[in-house]
Amino acid sequence: KQWYQRRVAITAGECVLLLSSFRLISSYSCVIFFLNMASNRAEKSGLSRDIQKKLEAKYSQDQEAQCRAWIEEVLGEKLSNSELGMHNFQQCLRDGQILCKLLNTLNGEPLVKKINQQKMAFKQMENIEQFIKGCKIFGLKDGDIFQTADLYECQNMSQIISTIYAVSSFASSKGYAGPCIGTKIAEKNERDFDEATLNAGKFVLGGQMGFTEGDSQTGMSMGKTRKVVDM
């Protein structure tokens, strides 16, 4: 009887282990399936194709060259593909490692604690997602940041360049002493006026309120008023 009970317990444990392994394999298979769907996306058509063409038309190789030179200068290393072009630039940044290193260098302290070195698709997309989260902590707004598919699937590379410019602008405003590109973010400039100056300003009419000197068109009417009559 004791031998039978032990055997039943062992069999139950084996079933639990087998079920857990099956669930793990099933989850992993689902992830691989959806990643394969993303990497083998069907060609767009109709309105989606027109939108994609407009997004690609916005891409500027001059801005790409500036971003390339700036990234290489900040990191002190060359990008993997030195040839200009939207798809070539995407291949340089697709695994997310360069972007994570760039953000950590500009911040001084690592915003991305762990950068995945694996070549698996979901690990590379995890790097991109970590970069996006780091950008929000760095101070960028949601409208300044691209989506993961924009980079990994080369959906909107012009937005990638816009994000790089925004990262550079915020870095300069946070005191980064290295080279920067893009526009400089305006700094706060408070001014204190005495009471006499503030009171004098109350009696000054701005140009938006109209011309207050000389002749005006007061009392004039051009033509007759339009009357609507039921026929």
Side-chain angles (χ1 to χ4, degrees):
K1 184 177 180 181
Q2 294 178 355
W3 175 86
Y4 176 75
Q5 292 176 347
R6 287 198 303 270
R7 183 57 185 170
V8 170
I10 293 174
T11 304
E14 290 175 349
C15 290
V16 172
L17 180 61
L18 181 61
L19 182 60
S20 300
S21 301
F22 178 75
R23 289 177 178 175
L24 180 61
I25 293 173
S26 300
S27 301
Y28 180 78
S29 300
C30 290
V31 171
I32 297 300
F33 173 74
F34 286 113
L35 290 176
N36 289 333
M37 286 182 62
S39 59
N40 297 282
R41 187 182 295 272
E43 185 178 355
K44 294 182 179 181
S45 61
L47 180 60
S48 299
R49 185 177 182 180
D50 295 338
I51 294 175
Q52 186 64 35
K53 286 183 178 180
K54 290 183 178 180
L55 292 176
E56 293 177 356
K58 292 171 56 179
Y59 190 81
S60 172
Q61 288 194 0
D62 294 335
Q63 293 180 345
E64 176 197 336
Q66 191 176 14
C67 291
R68 280 176 173 270
W70 178 67
I71 292 173
E72 292 176 351
E73 188 173 359
V74 172
L75 297 181
E77 61 179 273
K78 295 290 184 181
L79 297 180
S80 58
N81 192 334
S82 59
E83 186 176 355
L84 289 177
M86 179 172 60
H87 295 283
N88 295 328
F89 194 42
Q90 185 248 359
Q91 290 299 324
C92 296
L93 307 178
R94 188 183 185 189
D95 58 6
Q97 297 180 25
I98 293 295
L99 294 177
C100 291
K101 292 179 183 178
L102 178 66
L103 191 61
N104 288 342
T105 303
L106 296 174
N107 189 57
E109 298 180 358
L111 289 174
V112 181
K113 304 297 183 181
K114 180 182 178 181
I115 303 176
N116 297 310
Q117 305 294 330
Q118 295 91 332
K119 299 299 181 181
M120 291 178 286
F122 66 92
K123 289 295 183 180
Q124 294 178 349
M125 286 192 286
E126 184 177 342
N127 285 339
I128 299 174
E129 292 174 357
Q130 291 299 322
F131 170 77
I132 293 174
K133 292 180 181 179
C135 285
K136 294 179 180 179
I137 298 174
F138 197 57
L140 273 71
K141 299 180 180 179
D142 291 337
D144 299 327
I145 308 174
F146 61 84
Q147 301 296 320
T148 303
D150 293 339
L151 174 58
Y152 195 81
E153 300 178 14
C154 200
Q155 296 290 322
N156 190 1
M157 287 301 296
S158 59
Q159 184 63 36
I160 311 303
I161 291 181
S162 298
T163 301
I164 294 176
Y165 273 102
V167 169
S168 175
S169 298
F170 272 90
S172 62
S173 66
K174 288 178 173 292
Y176 177 70
C180 292
I181 56 176
T183 58
K184 183 180 180 181
I185 298 178
E187 299 178 355
K188 191 176 182 180
N189 185 15
E190 292 185 352
R191 302 182 183 183
D192 295 327
F193 296 100
D194 54 17
E195 192 69 23
T197 304
L198 294 175
N199 290 332
K202 296 178 181 179
F203 301 98
V204 177
L205 295 178
Q208 296 173 339
M209 299 181 183
F211 186 67
T212 59
E213 298 178 3
D215 297 333
S216 67
Q217 294 181 334
T218 303
M220 297 178 60
S221 61
M222 301 295 294
K224 297 181 179 179
T225 59
R226 182 182 177 185
K227 297 181 180 180
V228 179
V229 181
D230 295 332
M231 300 300 294

